[in-house]
Amino acid sequence: GQQVMQIPQYQHVQEGEDFTTYCNSSTTLSNIQWYKQRPGGHPVFLIQLVKSGEVKKQKRLTFQFGEAKKNSSLHITATQTTDVGTYFCAGIQTGANNLFFGTGTRLTVIP
Amino acid sequence: GAGVSQSPSNKVTEKGKDVELRCDPISGHTALYWYRQSLGQGLEFLIYFQGNSAPDKSGLPSDRFSAERTGGSVSTLTIQRTQQEDSAVYLCASSQMRGSPLHFGNGTRLTVT
């Protein structure tokens, strides 16, 4: 079955440092979505990537979709305490219907 | 409504009892998903509804779990003969169509004692 792994599982950074989480799928994905879940909250949609090699930016966040459409990354520049939470990637296997979530990366920002 | 609504927000039940969880998706959203999240863990896919198509039930962990979606709108997730390992937050999400961004409800926290 489809597996979507994320690394690292946990990351602690000093405020102002950069942060990157990587998402790897065992199968080709039709698209990739990224979500953020604050402690005690529910996942909130951040962005969707569809094209091979696509790069999108949202302020300090940069999202990439791999050329083979099997991996993706989220990079945060100069982290802030408001970035704290768990970041999940999610993808739909090509030809399938359901959206599988990655294992998530929990980010802690130390002020 | 403005967002996905789930009820109850919390449910405590005794082992062996049946429970029913409800999800009201955003009006007009054709796709509806149920996920389960244990404390500090990721989202485990349970079931997916898309319009009038047969649901994708491939994520349901056992035959004690079932779900239905009436009239393409409200969905209920039923867990029969609950077990302690069923304790988790059950999240419902809807989207405009397959592949569109998901909008999550606040979840139902289920505790089986």
Side-chain angles (χ1 to χ4, degrees):
Chain A
Q2 180 179 3
Q3 292 187 358
V4 183
M5 303 299 293
Q6 280 182 254
I7 54 171
Q9 187 175 2
Y10 302 96
Q11 185 76 59
H12 295 246
V13 298
Q14 288 289 141
E15 188 173 16
E17 291 183 339
D18 292 355
F19 158 76
T20 304
T21 173
Y22 299 90
C23 175
N24 295 289
S25 170
S26 57
T27 58
T28 303
L29 303 172
S30 58
N31 67 23
I32 193 104
Q33 299 174 8
W34 284 91
Y35 292 80
K36 177 183 178 181
Q37 185 175 25
R38 293 181 182 273
H42 59 267
V44 174
F45 173 77
L46 294 176
I47 208 160
Q48 177 170 279
L49 304 169
V50 179
K51 299 177 183 177
S52 168
E54 188 171 13
V55 178
K56 286 188 176 180
K57 293 190 175 185
Q58 285 182 351
K59 298 182 180 178
R60 294 178 296 104
L61 277 62
T62 302
F63 304 84
Q64 289 189 309
F65 199 9
E67 293 290 341
K69 302 185 77 172
K70 283 187 166 184
N71 54 67
S72 181
S73 65
L74 158 59
H75 179 81
I76 302 178
T77 303
T79 55
Q80 300 175 359
T81 54
T82 53
D83 296 327
V84 165
T86 301
Y87 291 85
F88 291 99
C89 62
I92 299 178
Q93 182 182 2
T94 303
N97 294 310
N98 48 13
L99 188 67
F100 276 92
F101 277 75
T103 46
T105 296
R106 184 178 299 177
L107 173 64
T108 301
V109 180
I110 304 164
Chain B
V4 178
S5 177
Q6 290 187 246
S7 61
S9 55
N10 282 284
K11 176 71 177 178
V12 180
T13 189
E14 292 181 351
K15 176 181 173 181
K17 300 282 189 182
D18 297 352
V19 294
E20 205 170 83
L21 313 180
R22 177 187 169 103
C23 173
D24 280 275
I26 293 173
S27 178
H29 280 193
T30 63
L32 187 148
Y33 298 79
W34 283 97
Y35 292 90
R36 178 168 72 175
Q37 188 173 34
S38 300
L39 187 63
Q41 302 299 309
L43 279 73
E44 177 188 3
F45 166 77
L46 297 178
I47 189 168
Y48 162 67
F49 296 90
Q50 173 60 57
N52 296 320
S53 303
D56 181 340
K57 303 179 181 181
S58 59
L60 295 179
S62 78
D63 59 8
R64 296 187 296 105
F65 289 71
S66 62
E68 62 177 23
R69 188 178 185 191
T70 53
S73 181
V74 171
S75 178
T76 54
L77 176 68
T78 302
I79 309 173
Q80 296 178 311
R81 305 181 302 281
T82 52
Q83 304 294 313
Q84 288 186 328
E85 60 262 30
D86 299 335
S87 296
V89 175
Y90 288 81
L91 290 162
C92 174
S94 70
S95 68
Q96 283 190 324
M97 63 184 74
R98 171 187 177 278
S100 298
L102 267 56
H103 299 259
F104 281 86
N106 288 330
T108 294
R109 182 177 299 277
L110 175 66
T111 303
V112 182
T113 60

